[in-house]
Amino acid sequence: MESINKTAQLEAARALVTALEADNEQAIEDQLTILTQSQESELFHEVGKLTRELHESMSNFNLDSRLVDLTQNDMPNTRERLNYVINTTEEAAHKTLGYIDQTLPLASDLKLTAEKIDESWHRFRMREMNADEFRLLSKEIEVYLPEVKQHSEQIHANLSEMMLAQGFQDLTGQVIRQVIDLVEEVEDNLVQLVKIAGKHVENKPKDNKEVDPIKAEGPQINAGDNPNVVNDQDEVDDLLSSLGF
Amino acid sequence: MKILIVDDFSTMRRIIKNLLRDLGFTNTTEADDGLTALPILQAGGIDFLVTDWNMPGMQGIDLLKAVRADEKLANIPVLMVTAETKREQIIVAAQAGVNGYVVKPFTAATLKEKIDKIFERIDAQ
């Protein structure tokens, strides 16, 4: 191809010289056109080759459609998952801190009153207390004992809530595991891409994984957007009772 | 009453264990997935199973099916405590014979309510 082109170009060049010497304007124009056209056709040929190579590379990319899927779906999804982790941990931390704030005054209340009664009781035992003071003390004790019961119950309830709030570790742990799996998959695909670029194309068979409708997915990130997902315990109960549970 | 708690996260096992203790169930034992839970169940003495769904190794739904398929274990009440909230999943769990389904995050009241309901049904039988 190249040599044919070269011969044609040489011929045209010689004819151009002859035409110039003869001052034949029409011939000069004709030969110039031939020369530029031959130049252009070589350029078109090169562009064509590049286009074909590009197309082949693109097709190779498409062989692994998972890569496209990863960038279009899984990456944005991962952002949402990591945001879910931030929000869930933040919520759990605030919840726990809130219950601590509620519990600390209860505990110090009990301690202060106990100290006061303890002191009065000591004076009573040392016979340093008159009848009026003793009447006051017994009133204080009368008020204090139910308060101990009430405060302890509240402290117990608050501690239970704090314990439940720690469930965030399970929920976010499941989500972080999914992100780790995704990072591994992206890494594998990038290695594959490097192999393709290095012309060691291994046509991976397309994995037509069947979608398992009950595959475990961990916490749903945007449950509200998906009608196929229940939003709370009430919806679970409704669904189960509709099944005759 | 001996209860087996199955969850791959030790924090969640601890939470469920403490809540059960508050409800008066002090005899509990733990496993971190279906594969480790099955031998404990088969060894006998477990009266109630509380299990997560999403676990490495053997998942909770497969553990439930294995329990129902085993003549000796088939009648153990099973409570699922899980973050799995797809309708198909809940339906499949119901069909596999789950006795209660609690979604995470849950409250102490919800757990108590579901456990009470399970034992009410058993007592009624």
Side-chain angles (χ1 to χ4, degrees):
Chain A
M1 170 91 199
E2 221 170 72
S3 65
I4 296 171
N5 206 11
K6 205 173 174 187
T7 323
Q9 281 178 335
L10 258 174
E11 241 167 61
R14 286 199 187 104
L16 180 64
V17 173
T18 317
L20 279 168
E21 280 168 356
D23 205 14
N24 181 346
E25 263 181 48
Q26 181 61 44
I28 293 170
E29 202 173 304
D30 287 351
Q31 295 312 319
L32 275 173
T33 310
I34 291 171
L35 276 171
T36 39
Q37 271 177 356
S38 85
Q39 189 68 27
E40 273 172 11
S41 88
E42 208 170 303
L43 181 70
F44 285 141
H45 175 68
E46 279 304 312
V47 169
K49 215 168 98 186
L50 275 174
T51 309
R52 203 165 46 245
E53 278 175 6
L54 183 66
H55 179 75
E56 272 165 21
S57 305
M58 296 299 279
S59 319
N60 282 336
F61 279 12
N62 282 337
L63 282 179
D64 196 358
S65 59
R66 180 73 190 117
L67 198 65
V68 180
D69 198 38
L70 276 171
T71 46
Q72 281 176 350
N73 300 319
D74 296 65
M75 279 306 183
N77 199 261
T78 298
R79 218 167 294 142
E80 279 171 21
R81 285 179 193 285
L82 292 176
N83 274 322
Y84 169 86
V85 171
I86 293 177
N87 292 336
T88 309
T89 48
E90 186 182 11
E91 207 178 290
H94 277 303
K95 202 170 176 185
T96 307
L97 293 170
Y99 280 110
I100 291 173
D101 286 344
Q102 265 187 43
T103 309
L104 288 176
L106 295 176
S108 38
D109 231 33
L110 290 177
K111 179 176 169 266
L112 284 177
T113 317
E115 273 171 2
K116 209 172 134 203
I117 291 174
D118 187 36
E119 201 187 299
S120 307
W121 187 251
H122 186 72
R123 280 181 53 227
F124 168 72
R125 291 294 299 271
M126 304 303 279
R127 296 168 199 279
E128 289 166 5
M129 197 173 259
N130 63 37
D132 279 349
E133 280 178 320
F134 181 73
R135 249 177 250 123
L136 198 70
L137 172 65
S138 52
K139 200 146 245 163
E140 272 175 359
I141 292 175
E142 224 174 273
V143 175
Y144 180 65
L145 291 178
E147 198 181 275
V148 172
K149 184 174 172 285
Q150 206 184 26
H151 278 22
S152 320
E153 276 167 4
Q154 191 60 52
I155 290 170
H156 186 280
N158 291 356
L159 288 173
S160 288
E161 289 292 342
M162 285 182 223
M163 183 179 67
L164 269 167
Q166 308 314 304
F168 81 88
Q169 203 269 330
D170 169 14
L171 295 174
T172 57
Q174 292 187 50
V175 172
I176 290 173
R177 266 191 198 151
Q178 289 167 352
V179 175
I180 292 173
D181 287 346
L182 181 82
V183 169
E184 272 171 8
E185 203 184 337
V186 169
E187 191 183 4
D188 284 350
N189 275 283
L190 286 177
V191 168
Q192 189 68 19
L193 200 62
V194 170
K195 280 186 185 165
I196 288 174
K199 303 266 186 207
H200 301 296
V201 186
E202 247 176 73
N203 285 353
K204 258 210 297 193
K206 257 192 189 172
D207 43 358
N208 287 325
K209 270 187 256 165
E210 257 183 63
V211 182
D212 178 1
I214 61 156
K215 184 176 173 280
E217 295 183 352
Q220 295 288 334
I221 309 301
N222 283 324
D225 300 343
N226 189 349
N228 194 32
V229 162
V230 296
N231 290 306
D232 53 29
Q233 185 66 41
D234 285 344
E235 286 187 29
V236 176
D237 296 348
D238 288 348
L239 177 58
L240 286 174
S241 67
S242 76
L243 294 168
F245 249 69
Chain B
M1 162 76 58
K2 190 167 183 185
I3 304 177
L4 175 61
I5 303 163
V6 190
D7 200 303
D8 52 333
F9 281 91
S10 58
T11 42
M12 186 47 72
R13 292 201 300 272
R14 205 166 155 185
I15 290 169
I16 294 174
K17 184 182 165 177
N18 287 350
L19 288 173
L20 288 173
R21 192 190 52 212
D22 269 1
L23 296 175
F25 302 105
T26 48
N27 193 4
T28 54
T29 184
E30 299 173 28
D32 60 7
D33 82 328
L35 290 177
T36 48
L38 261 187
I40 298 173
L41 287 160
Q42 280 156 354
I46 302 293
D47 305 297
F48 183 37
L49 172 62
V50 179
T51 182
D52 183 23
W53 181 313
N54 188 14
M55 295 177 286
M58 188 194 231
Q59 307 235 327
I61 186 71
D62 298 320
L63 176 63
L64 170 64
K65 287 174 183 167
V67 165
R68 292 291 176 252
D70 187 320
E71 215 179 294
K72 274 191 240 158
L73 307 175
N75 291 322
I76 293 180
V78 179
L79 176 67
M80 204 152 231
V81 181
T82 174
E84 301 302 325
T85 51
K86 272 164 72 182
R87 289 178 187 276
E88 287 102 327
Q89 294 173 316
I90 299 166
I91 293 167
V92 166
Q95 285 164 348
V98 80
N99 299 83
Y101 200 100
V102 173
V103 291
K104 294 174 185 170
F106 57 95
T107 63
T110 304
L111 189 73
K112 180 178 171 6
E113 185 197 320
K114 300 304 164 199
I115 290 176
D116 285 348
K117 212 173 226 171
I118 288 172
F119 288 116
E120 260 170 44
R121 284 212 187 101
I122 290 169
D123 290 344
Q125 276 170 6

